Amino acid sequence: MDLTLLERTIEELGEPAYRVRQVWRWLARGAASWEEMTDLPLALRRELAARVPISTLAVVASARARDGTEKVLFRTADGKPLEAVLMRYRDGRRSLCLSSQSGCPLTCTFCQTGRMRFGRNLTASEILDQALHFRRDERPTHAVFMGMGEPLMNLDAVLAACERLPDIGIAHRRTAISTVGWLPGIERLAREGPPVRLALSLHAPNDALRSELMPINERYPIAAVLDACREWWRHRRRQVFVEYLMLAGVNDRYEQALELAALLRPREAFCVNLIPYNPTDAPYRGSSRRAIDAFRGALEERSVRATVRLTRGREIAAACGQLAARQPLAAVAGG
């Protein structure tokens, strides 16, 4: 729901300001219609229904994978496409992957989103409406800003959305913001906003390779970005998750693991998350499981904590790097 429009409409109707809080409480609990908001007068509900759409986003298509991952293609009121994902885990976690932009302007070579035409930044309400869509069916527990776009290029809207996520059931400590290394955003995030977690998409242990994979590195090279991450850690006292996409023959050699380990000091400030490559139109192959295990072992031998990400939703193009707002999506993958 467009919360700014809601506030303006409530004021125009001469209603008390607490009506906005009432509406938000219903939305955060999963309400899907004005009719459900029974502590609002009937006349007011009818007036609001005529003036304020229940969501800023229209559902275009959806798909569900065999592992329970669900992806939804939305469209904004002005026709911009975006996707969001709900990942379901056997231990009960329900993690949302949220988009902060329609498309992405940063054109990382391995990422399908970067091949889209960039639309625009999303508003805080458009970000929240992604979460509210899934909340109508079940209560999410975690959120990651790892969908479409660079969140730190739209930090005001992202932080505004983060402030409201606990009302939906997602604590700040269970919210992570991922960045390709947008330096001004990291520096600002170190000093303001709720106590969320920070993830850095690094994907290479040196500037030469990273610039080939991620053009943003020409503007903000590794040393500057890691210095900003260390400052974030000193202020927040939370580890930075270093995301590292495993590309066969590109960045997965033993000596590259040693190079990466040498960069990540102090050790307690960083945790490396190795990401198996998910197929896109890019000319890469994923590293073998043996290569991933060897890379992880080399990091851990040098006291760098490392994990391997569990791939979710690959069969419906919902995994890391695969979001591209393509139509149509299958209604259900695998039955």
Side-chain angles (χ1 to χ4, degrees):
M1 181 177 293
D2 186 333
L3 298 176
T4 301
L5 175 60
L6 174 65
E7 290 175 2
R8 185 168 66 246
T9 304
I10 289 291
E11 184 178 356
E12 289 173 354
L13 293 172
E15 292 286 336
Y18 69 78
R19 296 295 190 197
V20 175
R21 296 192 295 275
Q22 284 181 290
V23 172
W24 171 248
R25 283 196 295 269
W26 279 105
L27 294 172
R29 292 200 298 263
S33 68
W34 290 105
E35 288 76 15
E36 296 174 58
M37 303 181 190
T38 52
D39 58 353
L40 273 66
L42 178 59
L44 176 59
R45 277 182 272 158
R46 288 174 175 169
E47 193 68 36
L48 291 173
R51 296 188 182 207
V52 184
I54 203 73
S55 177
T56 60
L57 304 176
V59 175
V60 177
S62 64
R64 183 161 175 165
R66 284 184 289 267
D67 63 15
T69 299
E70 184 177 351
K71 181 172 76 167
V72 177
L73 171 61
F74 297 100
R75 196 167 298 279
T76 65
D78 60 347
K80 305 301 183 194
L82 63 130
E83 289 179 328
V85 178
L86 171 64
M87 294 167 284
R88 298 178 173 93
Y89 296 89
R90 292 180 181 177
D91 61 6
R93 283 178 296 148
R94 298 292 184 264
S95 185
L96 299 177
C97 182
L98 302 174
S99 293
S100 55
Q101 298 176 315
S102 172
C104 182
L106 297 181
T107 65
C108 297
T109 61
F110 49 79
C111 181
Q112 200 68 37
T113 306
R115 295 169 179 256
M116 287 176 57
R117 175 177 294 185
F118 175 64
R120 61 168 172 80
N121 286 340
L122 301 178
T123 67
S125 293
E126 288 167 339
I127 294 170
L128 285 169
D129 274 332
Q130 298 168 57
L132 291 172
H133 171 84
F134 293 108
R135 176 64 183 92
R136 290 171 193 130
D137 291 326
E138 56 192 301
R139 191 180 183 93
T141 61
H142 295 70
V144 292
F145 284 85
M146 296 181 185
M148 291 181 170
E150 166 50 55
L152 299 191
M153 293 181 74
N154 188 21
L155 190 51
D156 286 338
V158 167
L159 290 181
C162 286
E163 292 287 0
R164 289 186 179 269
L165 286 178
D167 297 336
I168 299 172
I170 305 168
H172 293 319
R173 69 181 185 279
R174 292 180 173 177
T175 299
I177 297 176
S178 177
T179 178
V180 298
W182 192 257
L183 200 59
I186 299 173
E187 292 171 343
R188 182 179 161 196
L189 194 60
R191 292 172 171 80
E192 63 181 90
V196 298
R197 297 185 178 276
L198 178 66
L200 171 66
S201 292
L202 190 63
H203 309 312
N206 58 67
D207 283 321
L209 178 57
R210 192 166 191 263
S211 292
E212 290 180 18
L213 298 174
M214 307 172 71
I216 188 63
N217 194 71
E218 292 293 318
R219 184 170 184 177
Y220 301 126
I222 290 175
V225 171
L226 289 181
D227 281 346
C229 288
R230 293 183 188 98
E231 188 67 14
W232 187 89
W233 173 74
R234 282 190 286 268
H235 279 270
R236 297 287 192 168
R237 307 311 295 181
R238 289 175 178 264
Q239 277 190 323
V240 177
F241 293 95
V242 175
E243 298 168 321
Y244 196 94
L245 186 64
M246 298 296 293
L247 302 173
V250 176
N251 65 353
D252 63 348
R253 297 192 303 276
Y254 177 80
E255 58 269 25
Q256 290 171 311
L258 302 186
E259 196 175 1
L260 176 62
L263 291 174
L264 302 181
R265 296 179 181 278
R267 297 288 189 241
E268 60 269 24
F270 299 99
C271 174
V272 177
N273 188 209
L274 303 176
I275 306 172
Y277 175 67
N278 300 300
T280 68
D281 293 340
Y284 298 111
R285 293 181 300 106
S287 303
S288 67
R289 185 66 204 205
R290 181 177 181 181
I292 294 174
D293 289 343
F295 199 95
R296 179 182 182 181
L299 293 174
E300 292 181 336
E301 285 171 5
R302 283 147 187 84
S303 302
V304 176
R305 184 180 166 215
T307 60
V308 179
R309 179 174 296 177
L310 179 64
T311 297
R312 310 288 294 183
R314 179 182 286 180
E315 70 198 75
I316 57 169
C320 181
Q322 290 186 317
L323 300 187
R326 290 179 171 176
Q327 298 184 59
L329 296 177
V332 177

